[in-house]
């Protein structure tokens, strides 16, 4: 019974983490270079366990809100591919989010490490 | 599910979304299938990895409805946006629909009150005019009819002002609801 509750807490934490962090991941990838949809989805789902299909709604929303623009580029393998490109707003947001994330991760790690060190004494 | 089944299911579920957006979405997903197959995956694998079509369609519809409500102020639009957000999950029924109904109810109450005040003022005005002429019909309880008439006029104006104020309040609440829905869709999603 105890394991069940713990698992539920872990699941909820995962879901919340992923939601908040997905935007950061997308912006970070596009900061490095323009990507097409499949590239983004593939790379993210390699590292984080999510339903791949839900990334596209996020991409559409971020595009509508002005974080990136899209363009079509001819490809040798077939029809043109749609590439996403970061706007200035997107780049700025990426830096801010990344900052927040680093501070957050550092803070949590510090607390966890501190608690672990104390425990070992 | 294979590719065609997935895409046609998605297409059907996206009914109600502007044609341009819908076409773009379908383009993205068919491109996803195409590139996935180029990379050696089967249609079933790709469909499986994408996840439940209904969940995806609901997200698109919710985003779309909220944007509609934002650009075109109308009662229908905000209602559709709230419903679309509620469809995202049971939790939203509580934190979206509940407060929304409460706010709408209060707003209706305010409007009714403002109309009531004006109507009451109007009634009193008529009564105060009639009372010297038809004392059997109207009894002002000893109040001077002229004073009552002025008071009534004041009430009518108060009611109108209240009503106008409610219109501004409604507009404020509309914008607030749009912002709340956007926040909700982004962060509270199942």
């Amino acid at each position: 019974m105890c394991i069940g509750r713990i698992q539920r807490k872990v699941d909820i934490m995962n879901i919340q983490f992923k939601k908040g962090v997905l935007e950061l991941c997308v912006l970070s990838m596009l900061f490095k270079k323009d990507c097409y949809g499949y590239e983004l989805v593939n790379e993210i789902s390699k590292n984080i366990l999510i339903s791949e299909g839900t990334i596209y709604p996020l991409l559409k929303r971020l595009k509508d809100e002005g974080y990136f623009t899209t363009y079509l580029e001819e490809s040798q393998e077939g029809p043109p591919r749609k590439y996403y490109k970061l706007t200035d707003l997107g780049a700025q947001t990426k830096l801010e989010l990344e900052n927040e994330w680093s501070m957050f991760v550092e803070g949590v790690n510090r607390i966890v490490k501190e608690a672990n060190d104390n425990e070992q004494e | 599910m294979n590719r065609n089944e997935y895409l046609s299911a998605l297409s059907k579920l996206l009914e109600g979304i502007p044609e341009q957006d819908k076409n773009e979405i379908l383009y993205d997903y068919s491109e996803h299938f195409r590139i996935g197959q180029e990379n050696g995956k089967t249609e079933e694998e790709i469909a499986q990895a994408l996840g439940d079509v209904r969940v995806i369609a609901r997200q698109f519809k919710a985003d779309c409805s909220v944007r509609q409500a934002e650009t075109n102020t109308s009662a229908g639009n905000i209602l559709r946006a709230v419903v679309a957000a509620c469809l995202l999950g049971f939790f939203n029924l509580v934190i979206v629909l509940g407060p929304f109904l409460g706010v709408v109810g209060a707003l209706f109450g305010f409007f009714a009150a403002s109309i009531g005040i004006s109507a009451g003022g109007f009634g009193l005005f008529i009564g105060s005019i009639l009372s010297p002429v038809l004392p059997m019909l109207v009894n002002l309880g000893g109040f001077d009819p002229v004073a009552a008439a002025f008071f009534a006029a004041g009430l009518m104006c108060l009611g109108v002002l209240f009503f106008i104020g409610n219109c501004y309040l409604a507009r404020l609440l509309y914008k607030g609801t749009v912002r709340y829905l956007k926040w909700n869709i982004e962060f509270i999603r199942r």
Side-chain angles (χ1 to χ4, degrees), chain A residues 19 52-53 56 63 80 82, chain B residues 24 27 29 32 50 187 189:
Chain A
K19 270 201 283 280
E52 295 182 1
Y56 287 102
K63 170 175 155 229
K82 183 163 110 177
Chain B
E24 197 173 331
Y27 182 90
Y29 281 88
H32 183 91
L50 283 177
F187 294 110
R189 246 198 286 170

Side-chain angles (χ1 to χ4, degrees), chain B:
Chain B
M1 246 192 186
N2 71 22
R3 167 189 167 148
N4 285 337
E5 285 169 0
Y6 198 91
L7 291 179
S8 64
L10 185 59
S11 177
K12 213 181 310 175
L13 287 168
L14 287 178
E15 231 165 304
I17 292 194
E19 206 61 33
Q20 193 186 358
D21 289 330
K22 183 167 161 180
N23 289 338
E24 197 173 331
I25 294 171
L26 290 172
Y27 182 90
D28 285 343
Y29 281 88
S30 43
E31 186 185 65
H32 183 91
F33 269 99
R34 187 171 46 79
I35 302 180
Q37 287 175 278
E38 280 172 17
N39 288 342
K41 302 213 182 116
T42 69
E43 290 181 5
E44 280 75 20
E45 284 174 348
I46 299 173
Q48 176 92 330
L50 283 177
D52 193 348
V53 209
R54 291 167 299 181
V55 171
I56 293 173
R58 275 185 225 132
Q59 284 178 6
F60 277 119
K61 292 192 84 164
D63 284 333
C64 190
S65 316
V66 173
R67 225 173 340 117
Q68 255 299 76
E70 197 178 17
T71 50
N72 290 332
T73 306
S74 96
N77 282 344
I78 195 72
L79 213 60
R80 265 186 286 272
V82 169
V83 168
C86 287
L87 289 176
L88 290 177
F90 179 74
F91 193 49
N92 270 0
L93 275 180
V94 176
I95 66 172
V96 171
L97 191 62
F100 181 71
L101 288 179
V103 164
V104 168
L107 197 61
F108 265 112
F110 285 148
F111 272 113
S114 66
I115 293 175
I117 290 175
S118 277
F122 183 68
L124 182 60
F125 188 73
I126 299 293
S128 63
I129 292 185
L130 286 180
S131 99
V133 180
L134 298 167
M136 307 78 65
L137 273 184
V138 182
N139 180 0
L140 285 178
F143 281 105
D144 175 36
V146 178
F150 276 113
F151 180 67
L155 273 187
M156 284 195 282
C157 291
L158 184 67
V160 170
L161 278 177
F162 192 5
F163 191 91
I164 294 175
N166 284 337
C167 292
Y168 280 107
L169 183 65
R171 205 170 342 165
L172 209 72
L173 289 175
Y174 187 97
K175 293 213 182 102
T177 304
V178 167
R179 279 192 18 213
Y180 178 66
L181 286 177
K182 285 174 120 179
W183 173 85
N184 174 286
I185 290 177
E186 191 166 332
F187 294 110
I188 315 285
R189 246 198 286 170
R190 185 42 193 99

Side-chain angles (χ1 to χ4, degrees), chain A residues 65-95:
Chain A
E65 292 183 359
Y67 292 96
F68 26 83
T69 57
T70 58
Y71 61 90
L72 289 173
E73 191 171 277
E74 296 297 326
S75 101
Q76 320 89 311
E77 285 109 15
R81 286 185 183 173
K82 183 163 110 177
Y83 278 80
Y84 292 87
K85 180 188 174 65
L86 222 54
T87 61
D88 288 337
L89 173 65
Q92 215 178 339
T93 309
K94 178 261 186 192
L95 294 171

Side-chain angles (χ1 to χ4, degrees), chain A residues 22-35:
Chain A
L22 228 40
E23 197 169 313
L24 171 62
C25 290
V26 168
L27 291 173
S28 286
M29 285 185 64
L30 292 179
F31 194 80
K32 222 170 35 175
K33 70 177 182 77
D34 298 351
C35 302

